Amino acid sequence: MGDALEKVLVTEEQIRTRHREMAAEIDADYAGRDLLLVGVLKGAVMVMADLARELHHPCAMDWMAVSSYGAGTNSSGVVRILKDLDTDIQNRNVLIVEDVIDSGLTLSWLVGNLRSRGPASVEICTMVRKPLALDVDLEVRYVGFDLPNEFIIGYGLDYAEKYRNLPFIGTLAPHMYS
Ligand code: IMP
Ligand code: MG
């Protein structure tokens, strides 16, 4: 890690505990119903893998990749599909699995896009929500952690494609991007 990490915000243990709680909620909410988890690449890979293994529900999984930050730390607001779903989601219950919601721009666009495909339902599960996301008209059903407005890395979250493999969530030292 060197000096790239400033501090740990959420430990591995806290992440594991929260996944169990969220998985229990999802199991209860979708009991007896079809469920398709849609992970947003690449950040949601860790959440998807860990959360899905805590679920008892026999759900399907698919992936989408949309453009986000590039190498900087500010949302561009420009959303582009880099990889679309393999699945036809018509009449399916879709649960979008995200790593973080910051401005909410990416997800607002994604929800609109998926709703236009005629699914039975579209809900959102995110590991981290930042304060800006509360200002957008976006209903987030499952939130792992509400964290302050700082640039975070680890547990799927990158800075210039690095640090996704950290098992915890931490803040990037300011000197790394200033
Ligand atoms: P939003 O559109 O601003 O909500 O965020 C879009 C995407 O930017 C997220 O899905 C992440 O991939 C990325 N992102 C937002 N905040 C952070 C952060 O603090 N660290 C790393 N990536 C982030
Ligand atoms: Mg993401």
Side-chain angles (χ1 to χ4, degrees):
M1 256 326 275
D3 58 357
L5 181 74
E6 187 181 48
K7 59 182 182 294
V8 175
L9 289 180
V10 189
T11 65
E12 270 188 89
E13 188 54 40
Q14 287 171 317
I15 293 172
R16 200 172 309 122
T17 303
R18 193 69 191 105
H19 274 144
R20 292 217 175 102
E21 295 167 355
M22 291 166 87
E25 272 184 64
I26 294 167
D27 274 333
D29 292 350
Y30 289 90
R33 290 157 73 205
D34 147 74
L35 173 61
L36 172 67
L37 301 177
V38 169
V40 185
L41 294 169
K42 305 170 206 168
V45 166
M46 309 295 179
V47 193
M48 182 78 140
D50 289 346
L51 181 71
R53 280 180 292 182
E54 296 290 346
L55 287 172
H56 295 109
H57 195 293
C59 51
M61 289 184 201
D62 202 347
W63 301 90
M64 259 183 105
V66 293
S67 67
S68 62
Y69 281 10
T73 58
N74 285 308
S75 193
S76 63
V78 179
V79 180
R80 202 157 49 93
I81 296 181
L82 304 176
K83 184 227 168 283
D84 207 341
L85 296 174
D86 298 331
T87 316
D88 176 359
I89 61 169
Q90 193 157 15
N91 301 322
R92 306 289 304 272
N93 294 301
V94 174
L95 179 59
I96 301 174
V97 178
E98 256 289 24
D99 48 357
V100 59
I101 310 177
D102 182 10
S103 69
L105 290 171
T106 312
L107 218 43
S108 298
W109 182 89
L110 190 59
V111 167
N113 180 285
L114 294 182
R115 287 230 163 97
S116 73
R117 306 183 193 193
S121 65
V122 178
E123 299 290 349
I124 300 167
C125 171
T126 186
M127 192 74 267
V128 174
R129 178 170 61 185
K130 296 213 234 165
L132 272 181
L134 297 170
D135 297 339
V136 279
D137 183 24
L138 194 63
E139 206 183 303
V140 186
R141 182 93 173 247
Y142 311 97
V143 179
F145 303 95
D146 273 300
L147 297 182
N149 194 16
E150 293 175 286
F151 195 82
I152 52 177
I153 52 172
Y155 199 69
L157 292 158
D158 73 305
Y159 175 65
E161 293 300 327
K162 286 199 287 193
Y163 313 117
R164 291 190 197 276
N165 58 320
L166 293 176
F168 51 80
I169 298 170
T171 52
L172 185 68
H175 73 83
M176 293 296 294
Y177 54 88
S178 57

